[in-house]
Amino acid sequence: MQYDVVIGLEVHAELNTKTKCFCSCKNQYGQSPNSNCCPVCVGLPGALPVLNGEAVKKTIKAGLAMGFEINKTAIFERKNYFYPDLPKAYQISQLEKPICINGSLRIFDKDIPINRIHLEEDAGKLIHQGNISMIDYNRGGVPLIELVTDALKEPHIESADEAIEFLTKLRQIYIYAGVAECELEKGQMRADVNISLKPKGSAEYGVKVEMKNIMGFKSVYRAINYEINRQKEILDDGGTILQETRKWDDEKGESFTLRTKENSEDYRYFPDPDLIAIHISDEDIEEIKKSLSPLPDQLKQIYTSNYGLSEYDADVILADKKISDFYNQCVALYPQPKTIANWITTEILARIKNNEDIAISGENLIWIIKTVDEKKLQRNNAKELLSIIWGTDLDAQTEAKSRGLLSDLDQSVILGILDNVLKEKAEVVEQYKREKDPKILNFLVGQVMKASLGKANAQEIMQILREKLN
Ligand SMILES: [Zn+2]
């Protein structure tokens, strides 16, 4: 039988604020366990939360980047559950009035409707070793935005490919908007996926199965395909799908039941009496809108339409914000976008390994590109120069000169060589003066080129000789 697949995504991303969401502990990854906590973020009785305004601004910014409506009044609620990673036994989150509602994200040729983005606090981290479980509360209280797609509206995310495209674009938008780092291996972006199947063309939705906290896009991809096939097989055999939460085991490449709907949690949400409502004015929104830097889709439009880059090259540059920032900087220094794109997608990218930084300044790269364009530096010498200065503080121009990589010599040196040639070939010079034969002039240019070891510019020499001898 043929089925329609409906995929819903809930994506958590840690905001890159300086401090946590409701206390002044640092929002920093990689500290020694439980060294970055205070009475507020470990939920000691009597400790009161104070909202971090930067977290609200970044949530609004994330929403504006995807055309969300911003709620003028947003409130925080307590989501109650017992689990060791949550010392207060409730998470400060948003249910009824989140900050952002009704947005969308364009993937391939469809705009995927998004229900909401809300702000909440992250929980601590459980570390399991053999029979022992340990808790690190450093992550507790880190501001987290949760985005929820609206699978009840069309169009749907219908395949693992579309889900990955959605996550990839969302990650890019967060990074370009400057609200989150989204480093997947640090767990800074995590996805829950729900999947249901219905007979092709049917209006009625099938039973939803949820998979929580899948790490990494590759795992999301595998988990989705596994779940689609699992449900297909059950439905083809005439069975029914259980509404349940399943856990994806990446090593085994399969999922297993975590809990069924019958014992799913009731979070008993209620407004947090410790936190007053957030009021967001039109002026606040305008100001944040103005501070929003260009997003990948806008930049792609500029790169392809205004700069004439191929879609492929534009995508290569946009895949990493630091490359795109570097490219923009270089184009501002030297308005030759195609030439620069060429250099960056070949020479520069080849030198960046394992997500390292770009180890050359825009000024140095542009000096090299310009000098090649002016035909004063051979392409292979340029590559050599690039390797010499890569990862150092050396200046391209100084190195090129001191290492004799430039094709042209100082004017005075060239004139000296030229005068010597004219003296040595005095008879030929006299002959040229009489006959004005271009072949003789070419011969003299050749002599100067030879004496300069090929470093003089032939056209320049030709011009000087003409002036001198005519
Ligand atoms: Zn704290």
Side-chain angles (χ1 to χ4, degrees), residues 20 23-25 36-42 140:
K20 291 188 183 180
C23 63
S24 54
C25 291
N36 188 24
C37 319
C38 72
V40 174
C41 55
V42 295

PDB file of all heavy atoms in Angstrom, residues 20 23-25 36-42 140, ligand 1:
ATOM      1  N   LYS A  20      23.511  32.520  31.955  1.00  0.00           N
ATOM      2  CA  LYS A  20      22.363  31.617  31.879  1.00  0.00           C
ATOM      3  C   LYS A  20      21.046  32.396  31.843  1.00  0.00           C
ATOM      4  O   LYS A  20      21.026  33.619  31.926  1.00  0.00           O
ATOM      5  CB  LYS A  20      22.402  30.663  33.074  1.00  0.00           C
ATOM      6  CG  LYS A  20      23.560  29.654  33.020  1.00  0.00           C
ATOM      7  CD  LYS A  20      23.443  28.616  34.133  1.00  0.00           C
ATOM      8  CE  LYS A  20      24.635  27.667  34.125  1.00  0.00           C
ATOM      9  NZ  LYS A  20      24.511  26.652  35.202  1.00  0.00           N
ATOM     10  N   CYS A  23      19.949  33.342  35.930  1.00  0.00           N
ATOM     11  CA  CYS A  23      20.934  33.665  36.963  1.00  0.00           C
ATOM     12  C   CYS A  23      22.162  34.214  36.246  1.00  0.00           C
ATOM     13  O   CYS A  23      22.199  34.271  35.023  1.00  0.00           O
ATOM     14  CB  CYS A  23      21.297  32.431  37.791  1.00  0.00           C
ATOM     15  SG  CYS A  23      22.088  31.128  36.837  1.00  0.00           S
ATOM     16  N   SER A  24      23.185  34.609  37.029  1.00  0.00           N
ATOM     17  CA  SER A  24      24.335  35.235  36.369  1.00  0.00           C
ATOM     18  C   SER A  24      25.493  34.259  36.171  1.00  0.00           C
ATOM     19  O   SER A  24      26.617  34.667  35.875  1.00  0.00           O
ATOM     20  CB  SER A  24      24.781  36.460  37.162  1.00  0.00           C
ATOM     21  OG  SER A  24      25.020  36.078  38.498  1.00  0.00           O
ATOM     22  N   CYS A  25      25.247  32.950  36.314  1.00  0.00           N
ATOM     23  CA  CYS A  25      26.293  31.967  35.992  1.00  0.00           C
ATOM     24  C   CYS A  25      26.629  32.082  34.506  1.00  0.00           C
ATOM     25  O   CYS A  25      25.772  32.399  33.696  1.00  0.00           O
ATOM     26  CB  CYS A  25      25.798  30.556  36.256  1.00  0.00           C
ATOM     27  SG  CYS A  25      25.573  30.177  37.993  1.00  0.00           S
ATOM     28  N   ASN A  36      29.932  25.497  37.677  1.00  0.00           N
ATOM     29  CA  ASN A  36      29.321  26.697  37.119  1.00  0.00           C
ATOM     30  C   ASN A  36      27.829  26.729  37.467  1.00  0.00           C
ATOM     31  O   ASN A  36      26.973  26.702  36.594  1.00  0.00           O
ATOM     32  CB  ASN A  36      29.560  26.667  35.598  1.00  0.00           C
ATOM     33  CG  ASN A  36      29.143  27.942  34.916  1.00  0.00           C
ATOM     34  OD1 ASN A  36      29.093  28.999  35.528  1.00  0.00           O
ATOM     35  ND2 ASN A  36      28.807  27.840  33.631  1.00  0.00           N
ATOM     36  N   CYS A  37      27.556  26.704  38.767  1.00  0.00           N
ATOM     37  CA  CYS A  37      26.166  26.667  39.232  1.00  0.00           C
ATOM     38  C   CYS A  37      26.011  27.603  40.426  1.00  0.00           C
ATOM     39  O   CYS A  37      26.991  27.965  41.067  1.00  0.00           O
ATOM     40  CB  CYS A  37      25.771  25.276  39.719  1.00  0.00           C
ATOM     41  SG  CYS A  37      26.379  23.932  38.733  1.00  0.00           S
ATOM     42  N   CYS A  38      24.774  27.969  40.698  1.00  0.00           N
ATOM     43  CA  CYS A  38      24.484  28.819  41.851  1.00  0.00           C
ATOM     44  C   CYS A  38      23.152  28.362  42.443  1.00  0.00           C
ATOM     45  O   CYS A  38      22.489  27.488  41.876  1.00  0.00           O
ATOM     46  CB  CYS A  38      24.433  30.283  41.409  1.00  0.00           C
ATOM     47  SG  CYS A  38      22.967  30.675  40.444  1.00  0.00           S
ATOM     48  N   PRO A  39      22.733  28.946  43.561  1.00  0.00           N
ATOM     49  CA  PRO A  39      21.461  28.519  44.170  1.00  0.00           C
ATOM     50  C   PRO A  39      20.283  28.566  43.200  1.00  0.00           C
ATOM     51  O   PRO A  39      19.388  27.736  43.278  1.00  0.00           O
ATOM     52  CB  PRO A  39      21.288  29.515  45.326  1.00  0.00           C
ATOM     53  CG  PRO A  39      22.683  29.877  45.714  1.00  0.00           C
ATOM     54  CD  PRO A  39      23.451  29.914  44.403  1.00  0.00           C
ATOM     55  N   VAL A  40      20.293  29.531  42.266  1.00  0.00           N
ATOM     56  CA  VAL A  40      19.149  29.627  41.335  1.00  0.00           C
ATOM     57  C   VAL A  40      19.122  28.441  40.378  1.00  0.00           C
ATOM     58  O   VAL A  40      18.110  27.755  40.251  1.00  0.00           O
ATOM     59  CB  VAL A  40      19.188  30.957  40.537  1.00  0.00           C
ATOM     60  CG1 VAL A  40      18.086  30.990  39.480  1.00  0.00           C
ATOM     61  CG2 VAL A  40      19.062  32.147  41.474  1.00  0.00           C
ATOM     62  N   CYS A  41      20.267  28.169  39.731  1.00  0.00           N
ATOM     63  CA  CYS A  41      20.209  27.135  38.685  1.00  0.00           C
ATOM     64  C   CYS A  41      20.269  25.714  39.240  1.00  0.00           C
ATOM     65  O   CYS A  41      20.046  24.767  38.496  1.00  0.00           O
ATOM     66  CB  CYS A  41      21.214  27.393  37.565  1.00  0.00           C
ATOM     67  SG  CYS A  41      22.917  27.585  38.049  1.00  0.00           S
ATOM     68  N   VAL A  42      20.564  25.549  40.523  1.00  0.00           N
ATOM     69  CA  VAL A  42      20.379  24.194  41.077  1.00  0.00           C
ATOM     70  C   VAL A  42      19.118  24.141  41.941  1.00  0.00           C
ATOM     71  O   VAL A  42      18.868  23.151  42.617  1.00  0.00           O
ATOM     72  CB  VAL A  42      21.607  23.673  41.873  1.00  0.00           C
ATOM     73  CG1 VAL A  42      22.800  23.501  40.957  1.00  0.00           C
ATOM     74  CG2 VAL A  42      21.932  24.567  43.052  1.00  0.00           C
ATOM     75  N   GLY A 140      22.426  23.159  33.404  1.00  0.00           N
ATOM     76  CA  GLY A 140      21.131  23.538  33.960  1.00  0.00           C
ATOM     77  C   GLY A 140      20.962  25.049  33.950  1.00  0.00           C
ATOM     78  O   GLY A 140      21.821  25.776  34.436  1.00  0.00           O
TER      79      GLY A 140
HETATM   80 ZN    ZN B   1      23.302  29.868  38.264  1.00  0.00          ZN
END
